[in-house]
Amino acid sequence: SADQEHPTRPAATVCGYPISIFFIVVNEFCERFSYYGMRAVLVLYFKYFLKWDDDFATTIYHTFVALCYLTPILGAIVADSWLGKFKTIIYLSIVYAVGQVIMAISAISDITDTNKDGTPDNMTFHIALSMVGLLLIALGTGGIKPCVAAFGGDQFEDHQEKQRSTFFSIFYLSINAGSLLSTIITPVLRAYECGAVKQQCYPLAFGVPAALMVVALIVFIVGSGMYTKTAPQGNIMVRVCKCIGFAIQNRFRHRSSQYPKREHWMDWWHVQYIGRFLLFPLLFFSYIVHQIILFTLLLQKLLIAQVKMVLKVLFLYIPLPMFWALFDQQGSRWTLQATTMNGDFGILTIQPDQMQTVNPILILVLVPIMDSIIYPLIAKCKLNFSPLKRMTVGMFLAALAFVAAALVQIQIDNTLPTFPSKTQSQAKFINMLNTSLTIKAGQNDLELLPFKVNQDSKCAFKVHFYVQFSDLKTKPEQGANAIRFLNGFEKLLNVTVGNELFESIVTNNMSGYINVKKGNAVFGISDGVQTCTYQLTLGFGSSYTLIIPPSLTFGQECGGIESEMDISPNSIHMAWLIPQYFLITAGEVVFSVTGLEFSYSQAPSNMKSVLQAGWLLTVAVGNIIVLIVAEAATLEEQWAEYILFASLLVLVCIIFAIQAYFYTYIDPTAIEAQFTKREPDEKEKRKSIEMVKKDSVENHNEKRKASHSSSSSSDEETKQTRI
């Protein structure tokens, strides 16, 4: 059982640090690489591999993220009340690793692709595996979230406060490094081509994070004999929930007007117990028992006072989910937005999912700037920039980020073709004669130049002959270029792309589409006797119809081929996404770091885990809001959805500002001192604020703000809520 985990202090140290912490730091680096690497490519996996539309892909993505932020509450309760931190990390890491492996297997299309056309024949099988894998990953990553950092803090003695503080700085640096590297590397792995039919290599993009999670588990197990393992001591969240539940129940029982009103509804918690406890002195006439009972009542009143302080902060959390609803769309809507943009950065080609790395890079830059320049400058100007005002500004900056995203989306939409709806039909005419033609189209005359195409398309007509084919109904996926050939030559032609045969096209027929990467594409054309090449420079996301006329001439280069652009390439550069990333990251730094700093300073030191649970719950609810809007909203334009989210956040921002205006700051240590009959220690007063700069890094971003870490608390409850 878990209570058999005896504290055993590691004997060996390096530079005053327990050797065990090095295993924990490596474990955290690998785990964060695994999680963020998988998440970076997840929405594109839904869209391009599972063939889900943007809205459904966004819905499932945010459902997964919400689960990742709900399960930490379960993990904390299991670790503190049953298994202990060590066993909880081990068991849930196994679940985590199995989930990652299942995700990698689900992305192997060859498992069910019997005809080797690159598309799985049994998509239900792959979807089922993916959902099982994501469920296990959510349970694993969320379950160990509140345990790993706290377990690292357990490895230090009370006199190692300085080493513990340094450990947490290194710990959060490992989080930062793991998440940053993974969001750079896994999109590159995804862009590789693999499988029997060469296509995007999602098995590799998921397989490497799975391997890193297995490494994380092995590393953690190797250090098992060196760890200090503390037995579970009960979870404060359970006690608080029981306290609140009994207060509500007791208030309902005493709702009659004959009972006097209480100043606060939590005061109903001890109504029933006071009467019971006061009977004991009368029954036993024992001074000792009487004093014990009075002390017990004092502790109960202290618990009530602490719960009141926590509830006061949790009330301010009510509007906060809206911020996270916008913030977490970096991995869904904003990534999908980048797929319709130009990622050419000179010698580098940026993948859409790699744009997410802008966030951690900006965090590393903005956190020290805020701490060292912006906040001190505001203080010197004698402006009252209180924590709640900072959070309000952070929410406003996030709203501005979505306004910027909407403006970029409008520019993108202006470059996209207008595709016919399901109830519309269009016609395309291709003139294969070496002379201009005029076609009567209702009241209008349509002039067709030689070997040219008019651009209204649904089915194709050739003046000299008739052909029917299907045009694209969307932009080519993943920045590829869709190329097809119309053979007007008198012989069958073989077309190759690079060294691979594209298609054999009979006379007076249209080929299917082939996706060609950006760059200088070289096509080989042969009639079985003669061969020539045709070159075409391609960008991102274009579509061309290459018309081979009857007068085709062979040589080193093919003569007479006409290229007609059906869909123009992506012309809006991904660099235009940087302003919205800057605004959302600045909002994150001001909002999330300040949020826990304020929360921890306003709550009792032994109930910070309750606030942590409440904060994680706001993130989960924020993701639930996104999936509701994605499914329920009937907005056809993406820019309109961005404006909707920005408007909702501005509205919530106003509500939060009103709450902040009427909020009265308190000193928890002074309130607790009234019950413990002692003066609050100045060091204790500062402890919450001192540890916030470290805790808020992982608590809010779960990933990156190592440069903001400063110190940590040594009390047991604080160690249990480090993450």
Side-chain angles (χ1 to χ4, degrees):
S1 63
D3 58 6
Q4 293 175 342
E5 289 187 351
H6 302 292
T8 56
R9 186 61 55 183
T13 61
V14 175
C15 300
Y17 295 89
I19 292 180
S20 58
I21 67 167
F22 297 101
F23 294 96
I24 296 173
V25 169
V26 174
N27 166 271
E28 185 66 12
F29 169 82
C30 295
E31 188 275 327
R32 290 293 84 186
F33 186 107
S34 176
Y35 174 73
Y36 284 107
M38 179 276 304
R39 207 175 92 164
V41 301
L42 188 59
V43 74
L44 297 185
Y45 169 74
F46 291 156
K47 178 179 175 64
Y48 296 129
F49 186 89
L50 299 184
K51 306 300 181 183
W52 291 345
D53 61 47
D54 289 1
D55 288 341
F56 192 63
T58 299
T59 297
I60 300 301
Y61 174 87
H62 287 283
T63 301
F64 166 71
V65 176
L67 286 175
C68 290
Y69 282 95
L70 286 175
T71 50
I73 300 175
L74 177 62
I77 294 174
V78 169
D80 292 342
S81 304
W82 180 28
L83 291 178
K85 300 183 190 71
F86 175 74
K87 289 186 177 180
T88 301
I89 294 171
I90 291 291
Y91 296 157
L92 291 183
S93 292
I94 294 174
V95 172
Y96 193 168
V98 171
Q100 290 280 33
V101 171
I102 291 176
M103 276 299 296
I105 295 174
S106 72
I108 303 176
S109 61
D110 293 343
I111 295 177
T112 62
D113 185 15
T114 55
N115 58 2
K116 304 303 179 184
D117 64 349
T119 301
D121 298 329
N122 186 359
M123 189 64 76
T124 304
F125 171 80
H126 294 273
I127 293 175
L129 275 185
S130 300
M131 295 304 100
V132 171
L134 290 177
L135 184 61
L136 294 178
I137 292 171
L139 180 61
T141 188
I144 68 175
K145 193 186 301 295
C147 301
V148 179
F151 187 71
D154 289 345
Q155 308 307 306
F156 294 88
E157 297 276 8
D158 292 338
H159 66 273
Q160 294 178 303
E161 184 70 24
K162 182 179 179 180
Q163 288 88 343
R164 182 189 286 115
S165 176
T166 305
F167 159 73
F168 280 111
S169 296
I170 298 173
F171 182 83
Y172 296 128
L173 182 61
S174 69
I175 294 171
N176 195 347
S179 60
L180 179 59
L181 288 176
S182 65
T183 50
I184 294 174
I185 294 173
T186 51
V188 175
L189 299 177
R190 175 193 59 80
Y192 285 150
E193 294 183 346
C194 62
V197 178
K198 299 299 183 182
Q199 55 186 347
Q200 299 278 308
C201 199
Y202 288 100
L204 182 61
F206 289 140
V208 170
L212 264 292
M213 189 59 224
V214 173
V215 171
L217 176 59
I218 293 174
V219 168
F220 189 76
I221 293 175
V222 168
S224 175
M226 306 178 188
Y227 297 138
T228 296
K229 306 168 188 175
T230 57
Q233 301 174 351
N235 189 274
I236 188 65
M237 287 187 292
V238 176
R239 293 175 57 198
V240 171
C241 291
K242 287 182 178 179
C243 179
I244 294 174
F246 187 82
I248 295 173
Q249 181 184 11
N250 214 16
R251 177 65 184 91
F252 180 77
R253 290 176 178 174
H254 297 80
R255 62 187 181 277
S256 174
S257 59
Q258 67 182 16
Y259 296 102
K261 293 184 178 180
R262 300 292 187 268
E263 182 179 351
H264 193 282
W265 61 270
M266 278 300 302
D267 293 332
W268 289 98
W269 184 84
H270 53 75
V271 167
Q272 182 174 344
Y273 287 94
I274 290 178
R276 292 179 181 177
F277 287 141
L278 292 180
L279 287 176
F280 282 97
L282 299 176
L283 293 175
F284 296 99
F285 301 98
S286 170
Y287 175 78
I288 296 178
V289 175
H290 183 265
Q291 292 300 316
I292 293 175
I293 294 171
L294 290 179
F295 181 70
T296 303
L297 287 174
L298 186 64
L299 292 179
Q300 291 172 348
K301 291 182 179 180
L302 173 61
L303 178 61
I304 294 296
Q306 291 171 332
V307 173
K308 288 179 181 178
M309 288 185 278
V310 169
L311 290 175
K312 188 176 182 180
V313 177
L314 290 179
F315 178 72
L316 287 174
Y317 282 3
I318 295 176
L320 304 190
M322 201 64 223
F323 173 87
W324 300 113
L326 276 68
F327 177 80
D328 279 335
Q329 289 189 58
Q330 293 177 82
S332 56
R333 290 298 196 195
W334 286 13
T335 299
L336 294 172
Q337 184 182 40
T339 61
T340 59
M341 304 180 73
N342 182 358
D344 187 3
F345 283 79
I347 60 174
L348 295 176
T349 298
I350 302 299
Q351 301 295 327
D353 34 3
Q354 283 182 313
M355 285 302 296
Q356 298 176 55
T357 59
V358 175
N359 177 254
I361 292 172
L362 286 176
I363 283 174
L364 292 176
V365 175
L366 290 178
V367 168
I369 289 177
M370 289 291 184
D371 283 346
S372 304
I373 301 177
I374 304 298
Y375 292 155
L377 185 62
I378 293 176
K380 285 185 178 181
C381 295
K382 297 182 179 181
L383 298 176
N384 182 21
F385 198 40
S386 65
L388 293 180
K389 290 181 179 178
R390 294 182 192 178
M391 294 176 67
T392 305
V393 170
M395 298 168 77
F396 184 70
L397 288 174
L400 287 179
F402 266 63
V403 173
L407 294 176
V408 172
Q409 188 63 48
I410 290 174
Q411 297 303 314
I412 293 174
D413 291 345
N414 290 336
T415 67
L416 298 178
T418 302
F419 296 102
S421 66
K422 294 180 180 179
T423 59
Q424 294 176 326
S425 60
Q426 295 174 319
K428 173 178 291 182
F429 294 91
I430 304 176
N431 182 5
M432 299 298 292
L433 299 180
N434 195 20
T435 183
S436 297
L437 296 174
T438 301
I439 296 178
K440 294 290 184 179
Q443 300 294 327
N444 302 316
D445 291 339
L446 179 64
E447 183 179 5
L448 296 180
L449 299 176
F451 310 114
K452 296 295 181 182
V453 184
N454 94 297
Q455 294 301 314
D456 295 328
S457 63
K458 192 60 180 176
C459 58
F461 298 87
K462 173 180 174 296
V463 174
H464 190 60
F465 57 85
Y466 171 79
V467 140
Q468 189 175 24
F469 61 93
S470 296
D471 274 339
L472 290 177
K473 298 179 181 178
T474 60
K475 286 274 286 185
E477 297 180 346
Q478 307 182 66
N481 300 274
I483 308 298
R484 63 182 176 181
F485 288 84
L486 175 60
N487 182 11
F489 194 61
E490 59 186 7
K491 296 181 181 180
L492 179 145
L493 295 176
N494 294 318
V495 178
T496 58
V497 180
N499 296 322
E500 297 183 6
L501 177 64
F502 167 28
E503 192 170 336
S504 296
I505 314 170
V506 299
T507 303
N508 297 340
N509 203 357
M510 182 80 75
S511 73
Y513 283 102
I514 182 174
N515 289 329
V516 182
K517 293 182 178 180
K518 170 188 174 295
N520 189 31
V522 179
F523 303 95
I525 300 175
S526 172
D527 64 355
V529 178
Q530 306 175 83
T531 302
C532 62
T533 60
Y534 178 78
Q535 298 186 27
L536 184 65
T537 301
L538 301 173
F540 289 93
S542 64
S543 176
Y544 286 86
T545 298
L546 302 182
I547 304 173
I548 303 175
S551 58
L552 172 69
T553 59
F554 289 89
Q556 185 174 358
E557 295 184 359
C558 302
I561 296 180
E562 294 285 341
S563 63
E564 286 295 327
M565 181 186 295
D566 300 324
I567 298 176
S568 61
N570 301 344
S571 57
I572 306 299
H573 202 277
M574 284 187 191
W576 285 106
L577 295 177
I578 294 177
Q580 66 197 56
Y581 273 99
F582 176 83
L583 289 170
I584 199 77
T585 306
E588 177 190 11
V589 171
V590 176
F591 175 87
S592 63
V593 175
T594 306
L596 268 194
E597 179 177 351
F598 161 77
S599 303
Y600 279 23
S601 69
Q602 296 294 290
S605 59
N606 69 326
M607 290 194 177
K608 301 190 189 304
S609 62
V610 180
L611 288 176
Q612 173 64 16
W615 188 272
L616 293 176
L617 187 62
T618 65
V619 181
V621 173
N623 281 271
I624 293 173
I625 291 174
V626 179
L627 66 92
I628 291 175
V629 172
E631 287 298 312
T634 57
L635 300 174
E636 294 184 0
E637 303 293 340
Q638 184 57 52
W639 66 265
E641 183 179 297
Y642 288 148
I643 294 297
L644 172 63
F645 275 109
S647 302
L648 290 175
L649 185 56
V650 169
L651 176 61
V652 167
C653 185
I654 294 173
I655 295 173
F656 183 78
I658 295 173
Q659 285 182 297
Y661 179 79
F662 289 101
Y663 182 84
T664 302
Y665 290 81
I666 61 174
D667 184 357
T669 56
I671 296 175
E672 290 175 328
Q674 297 175 7
F675 296 92
T676 57
K677 303 299 182 183
R678 64 178 176 84
E679 289 298 322
D681 189 354
E682 286 300 321
K683 181 179 179 182
E684 188 178 30
K685 285 183 178 181
R686 297 193 302 267
K687 190 174 291 184
S688 295
I689 297 177
E690 289 176 350
M691 98 181 155
V692 160
K693 292 183 180 180
K694 184 180 297 79
D695 287 352
S696 54
V697 180
E698 175 66 9
N699 287 336
H700 300 288
N701 309 303
E702 192 194 343
K703 43 186 176 178
R704 297 175 280 261
K705 306 177 183 75
S707 58
H708 198 60
S709 303
S710 59
S711 67
S712 63
S713 172
S714 61
D715 90 25
E716 177 64 26
E717 184 59 33
T718 301
K719 291 190 292 184
Q720 292 178 356
T721 59
R722 280 290 173 185
I723 200 163

